[in-house]
Amino acid sequence: MPDINKIMCACGSGLGSSLIVHMNTEEVLKELGVSDVEVVHSTISDIHPGAADLFVVGGDLGDFIEGVGDDQKIVLSNILDKEELKTKLKERLDL
């Protein structure tokens, strides 16, 4: 598994969709048996290299993440689709 200790879920305000994605990310990580990763949520403006090891955002915000490599971000087509999130997390975590 790559060295991912912290995942930041972000949206425009840091309150709505990022909280939903945060809760879904914790749930999916638990399903995958991953327990040693911290999950937080915040605003898109808090995304910068070093703020987290992996960033998760909705598709409408994917273009706003600057300075972060594609290997450090997950852009979701549908923030409510746990299967999409699970597939992309498994890919990033090499599970």
Side-chain angles (χ1 to χ4, degrees):
M1 181 164 88
D3 198 22
I4 295 178
N5 300 306
K6 184 176 182 179
I7 297 173
M8 180 185 288
C9 306
C11 68
S13 68
L15 298 171
S17 58
S18 65
L19 179 57
I20 292 168
V21 175
H22 175 161
M23 292 187 301
N24 287 348
T25 299
E26 287 183 327
E27 187 177 317
V28 168
L29 288 173
K30 186 175 180 179
E31 286 176 22
L32 296 173
V34 177
S35 60
D36 55 349
V37 175
E38 176 186 7
V39 181
V40 299
H41 64 278
S42 192
T43 68
I44 196 86
S45 61
D46 287 336
I47 293 180
H48 58 84
D53 303 306
L54 184 64
F55 301 93
V56 183
V57 298
D60 57 329
L61 299 175
D63 293 338
F64 293 94
I65 304 176
E66 297 177 10
V68 175
D70 286 342
D71 61 331
Q72 288 186 286
K73 61 186 169 186
I74 292 176
V75 179
L76 300 171
S77 300
N78 179 348
I79 63 165
L80 301 175
D81 186 348
K82 288 183 194 170
E83 286 306 311
E84 177 190 7
L85 178 60
K86 184 184 233 178
T87 298
K88 291 181 175 182
L89 276 173
K90 284 172 72 172
E91 199 175 281
R92 287 293 190 273
L93 298 171
D94 289 336
L95 298 176

